[in-house]
Amino acid sequence: MTDVGVSPYGRTCRRPLGVTILAALEIIWGILLVIAALGMFAAAGMIAYDGVPPELMDMVSPDVLQALPMTWVVMGIMFMVFAIIYFALAWGFLKGRNWSRVIVMILLILSIISSILGAIMYGSMNTDTLVSLGISIIIPIIILWYLALNHVANWFHCRERR
């Protein structure tokens, strides 16, 4: 895998270290999602095969227990889909595909909006909530800023990668 290309202006461009780090983080998240999905599938299979543990029967209604395996399978499928998306975005970052940069920037904006709306809907603003809100807004803003920098954007517009 190469990290060198030619910019639209004829200059050689290299993949910025931050792009590589973001791609590595996306790969890590993808792997964690695959592990979580496999855990969901295994748990659903164990409950479907062995039945519900007696300790749970007293704590949860029978309707919920009956739907539990299928719920876990659906969640496992969703985790797998998200893992594939993370792997695709990581590949796009490593190869310098601009679509991956655009998608990540859109997802970051949605994350910021979601954090703000979640804080508003939660209602009470104590110190912990404000710190959590600040972190969940500042990190996406920093990544957005980084992806908008000229030398980073140039990597995604390079052509003729070897």
Side-chain angles (χ1 to χ4, degrees), residues 83-119:
I84 291 168
I85 291 170
Y86 271 102
F87 291 138
L89 291 172
W91 178 84
F93 267 46
L94 293 173
K95 292 292 187 176
R97 304 295 190 252
N98 195 46
W99 57 263
S100 64
R101 178 177 155 263
V102 171
I103 290 172
V104 167
M105 291 176 89
I106 290 169
L107 292 174
L108 288 168
I109 291 168
L110 291 175
S111 171
I112 294 167
I113 293 169
S114 166
S115 295
I116 293 170
L117 291 177

Side-chain angles (χ1 to χ4, degrees), residues 40-83:
M40 293 283 185
F41 295 145
M46 287 184 343
I47 286 183
Y49 182 75
D50 292 336
V52 178
E55 303 85 39
L56 286 180
M57 289 190 169
D58 296 336
M59 299 183 337
V60 183
S61 76
D63 293 334
V64 171
L65 293 176
Q66 187 176 8
L68 200 57
M70 184 52 103
T71 303
W72 284 348
V73 167
V74 170
M75 287 176 61
I77 291 170
M78 289 173 44
F79 284 0
M80 282 294 199
V81 167
F82 283 114

